[in-house]
Amino acid sequence: MFKAIVIEKDETGYRASLKDVDESQLPEGDVTVRVSHSTLNYKDGLAITGKGPVVRKFPMVPGVDLVGTVEESSHSSYRVGDAVLLNGWGVGEGHWGGLAQKARLKGEWLVPLPSRFTPQQAMAIGTAGYTAMLCVLALERHGVTPDQGEILVTGAAGGVGSVAVSILSKLGYTVVGVSGRLAESDYIKSLGASEVLERAAFSSAGKPLGRERWAGAVDVVGSHTLANVCATTKYRGIVTACGLAGGMDFPATVAPFILRGVTLVGVDSVMCPRADRLVAWQRLGTDLDIAKLNLITHEIGLAEAIPTATKLLDGQVRGRVVVDVNA
Ligand code: NDP
């Protein structure tokens, strides 16, 4: 038996609870992992609370991230005792995920735990941090360099935002954060932002074009915020869009694209090809100040993941949450 958070949906409703699960119930896969840590991402919050249609079959163990040790393997790349990491691939949505003491997975989804990180540090980064890195890589791929001007990061006190601010500032960019929690301004500045702007300045309908300010942006919010970010991005600037914390809609005009040559780059971490993941994790090893991870992260036990999911969706969680599944 092992402990897991299990999401069930039946005629009595939708619920998540901590349960003892028999190992025989683990899904199919060629690698069984003894999980040490998982995390709570926005998507896990949606899955646990049922506030978003994330879970595709029931019962489901949530958790889009996990780190642990291989316990059994028939996959040629992994042996018993290997330290491994998983982000995404629909795990925690359509296949049992990381908020459990055991997981059985496809070996092709795993990556070796980078030697630079402890299991806790890898989960402090998690999907949110790896997505932040994918956004930074997209800015670089499109030629954004620190001398071109300010980079805007929305949702700056959240998981993706906190890691994006940290990476960009370490790389020498001037970073401006946007947050609905101005009480967290000092925190966001301690991660490397030079300025923090109020969320309200971005969250309602704006003009098709505004004063050109951003050389690049990392947006986790979507909706009016993403439209306003595009409208205030400089000529030929690059906006990366990875989130929908403010809404899935995109009420924008084409003006920034056809008059200023702004590029909107979509970023997805879930199905991101393995080669790109390995690059992102390798760059996290060099371009993220590990000392800042302590500022960004707090740790909870498995049972606490359920109430913390509600707090996360209510915007009350700062930075990243690591879940010690054995606590
Ligand atoms: P968090 O909850 O940690 O952070 C989201 C932040 O967004 C909050 O902390 C808050 O920041 C801000 N925010 C929340 N609600 C609103 C709102 N209504 N309007 C404007 N801002 C808001 O989540 P994550 O960082 O884990 O994820 C952020 C987003 O990115 C989510 O939508 C998630 O689904 C998406 N995501 C996408 C991935 C992909 O592969 N494309 C991978 C990972 C995440 P503040 O308090 O500073 O304003």
Side-chain angles (χ1 to χ4, degrees):
M1 302 290 279
F2 64 93
K3 290 200 182 303
I5 291 180
V6 180
I7 300 173
E8 291 159 297
K9 188 184 177 188
D10 53 29
E11 57 290 346
T12 64
Y14 189 104
R15 63 192 170 278
S17 50
L18 183 64
K19 291 205 161 176
D20 288 310
V21 179
D22 194 282
E23 212 167 308
S24 64
Q25 289 182 255
L26 280 169
E28 286 194 5
D30 45 15
V31 181
T32 305
V33 177
R34 188 159 9 93
V35 180
S36 72
H37 297 81
S38 183
T39 74
L40 264 193
N41 294 278
Y42 193 86
K43 193 181 265 179
D44 304 315
L46 293 174
I48 290 171
T49 60
K51 282 192 179 154
V54 166
V55 176
R56 298 199 298 274
K57 59 184 185 194
F58 299 91
M60 179 54 57
V61 173
V64 305
D65 290 322
L66 65 85
V67 67
T69 310
V70 173
E71 205 171 67
E72 272 178 57
S73 170
S74 56
H75 189 281
S76 55
S77 302
Y78 297 100
R79 294 210 195 105
V80 174
D82 286 352
V84 290
L85 169 68
L86 177 131
N87 310 110
W89 294 117
V91 170
E93 304 177 59
H95 184 103
W96 284 15
L99 286 164
Q101 293 171 325
K102 278 200 188 182
R104 188 168 292 141
L105 307 145
K106 286 190 185 172
E108 67 200 53
W109 293 339
L110 299 167
V111 295
L113 175 67
S115 57
R116 181 98 164 77
F117 301 118
T118 64
Q120 289 94 327
Q121 286 166 343
M123 288 294 95
I125 295 166
T127 283
Y130 138 68
T131 303
M133 190 75 237
L134 291 176
C135 291
V136 174
L137 289 168
L139 292 175
E140 289 181 348
R141 195 168 64 244
H142 286 82
V144 180
T145 50
D147 57 300
Q148 290 170 9
E150 296 167 306
I151 309 294
L152 189 71
V153 176
T154 62
V160 175
S162 293
V163 180
V165 170
S166 307
I167 298 169
L168 287 163
S169 74
K170 180 156 188 230
L171 288 171
Y173 290 91
T174 305
V175 187
V176 176
V178 179
S179 181
R181 291 178 272 178
L182 287 190
E184 297 293 1
S185 290
D186 286 345
Y187 161 73
I188 297 165
K189 286 182 182 165
S190 73
L191 301 179
S194 58
E195 192 182 345
V196 179
L197 303 177
E198 229 177 304
R199 180 198 291 178
F202 291 83
S203 55
S204 47
K207 294 186 180 151
L209 290 173
R211 182 171 74 84
E212 293 179 49
R213 182 158 177 193
W214 320 115
V218 173
D219 179 62
V220 310
V221 174
S223 192
H224 290 299
T225 297
L226 178 58
N228 288 322
V229 170
C230 291
T232 50
T233 294
K234 291 209 271 194
Y235 191 79
R236 289 204 161 182
I238 311 297
V239 178
T240 57
C242 72
L244 43 57
M248 197 141 132
D249 58 335
F250 182 40
T253 76
V254 296
F257 312 115
I258 64 171
L259 298 176
R260 291 187 180 158
V262 168
T263 297
L264 181 57
V265 186
V267 172
D268 167 61
S269 67
V270 180
M271 303 308 290
C272 175
R274 184 182 167 82
D276 294 3
R277 288 170 189 255
L278 293 173
V279 170
W281 276 100
Q282 185 257 324
R283 286 287 306 271
L284 282 158
T286 54
D287 299 331
L288 176 64
D289 183 350
I290 286 188
K292 289 210 178 128
L293 272 183
N294 294 333
L295 279 178
I296 291 175
T297 313
H298 75 278
E299 192 166 301
I300 61 172
L302 192 53
E304 278 175 274
I306 297 172
T308 308
T310 303
K311 288 190 197 154
L312 187 124
L313 292 190
D314 288 346
Q316 291 169 23
V317 171
R318 175 170 115 174
R320 298 276 304 136
V321 183
V322 172
V323 182
D324 179 346
V325 299
N326 299 301

